Amino acid sequence: MATTCLSCALTHGTKDTIGGVVTQSSNFQIRQDYSVPISGFMILATKRHIKSIDEFTQEERLEFIELLYNTRQKMKIVLGIETIYLIQEEDAAHFHLWLFPRHPWMEKLGQKLKSVKPIMEWAQQNLQTSENREEVIRAVEKLKESFKAIMP
Ligand SMILES: [Zn+2]
């Protein structure tokens, strides 16, 4: 565990996640993105401080796809999110995959990968409200509930 790493701190509970951990497996955690207040913006992070999918053990590889599948499916069923973008930057210190949701309000900010940065900036500037924070936490709660059925 790297002491200055945000992902390590969130994974090991020395820093609180937004709304609490959605679910976790032996090697991974699902949580709301820590800094961008977009509801349903989920992060799939390794518990180990590694950078790349090419460092995954066989157990991690199997667990990863199962957890990714379940999370994405629940985002659709429980939150009604029809489209997401999967993004993972290997130049980040700690492996985390973005499950970035497309919401109708994002249309005005563009499409596809090039729209993600403006959307995140817009969210930082316009969605830091208590009303939106409640919505973000409601989405976390709904996902948590639906995971309890399969990963108690
Ligand atoms: Zn770390």
Side-chain angles (χ1 to χ4, degrees):
M1 174 178 172
T3 49
T4 55
C5 174
L6 175 64
S7 265
C8 281
L10 293 166
T11 301
H12 299 284
T14 54
K15 203 179 243 308
D16 287 337
T17 54
I18 313 292
V21 175
V22 170
T23 193
Q24 55 190 330
S25 59
S26 305
N27 297 290
F28 298 94
Q29 189 177 73
I30 301 287
R31 55 179 185 252
Q32 168 68 33
D33 184 81
Y34 190 75
S35 58
V36 183
I38 293 174
S39 76
F41 183 5
M42 292 295 123
I43 299 296
L44 192 172
T46 50
K47 290 187 176 175
R48 292 199 298 138
H49 186 80
I50 57 174
K51 284 188 175 204
S52 170
I53 203 165
D54 76 3
E55 297 169 77
F56 282 14
T57 64
Q58 189 182 26
E59 180 185 278
E60 284 168 338
R61 297 199 289 274
L62 298 172
E63 228 178 274
F64 174 75
I65 190 61
E66 204 51 32
L67 187 59
L68 177 58
Y69 167 82
N70 282 323
T71 307
R72 198 307 164 229
Q73 191 198 42
K74 286 173 186 309
M75 288 168 74
K76 185 172 278 177
I77 295 169
V78 180
L79 304 180
I81 296 166
E82 286 299 324
T83 303
I84 69 164
Y85 299 160
L86 294 173
I87 302 165
Q88 194 257 324
E89 301 168 318
E90 287 196 337
D91 49 4
H94 188 132
F95 181 94
H96 64 288
L97 175 71
W98 292 357
L99 285 78
F100 188 88
R102 286 292 304 192
H103 292 300
W105 62 262
M106 296 172 177
E107 291 306 310
K108 63 179 182 293
L109 297 164
Q111 297 285 332
K112 307 224 187 254
L113 196 54
K114 66 183 183 309
S115 68
V116 172
K117 193 162 181 268
I119 288 168
M120 286 169 65
E121 285 168 359
W122 191 91
Q124 298 276 27
Q125 285 163 16
N126 297 283
L127 295 178
Q128 305 278 13
T129 63
S130 56
E131 197 182 351
N132 182 65
R133 190 180 164 81
E134 280 168 27
E135 193 180 317
V136 165
I137 289 172
R138 260 200 307 278
V140 169
E141 292 295 334
K142 284 183 187 171
L143 287 172
K144 266 195 223 173
E145 274 306 308
S146 73
F147 266 109
K148 276 185 192 153
I150 57 162
M151 299 171 94

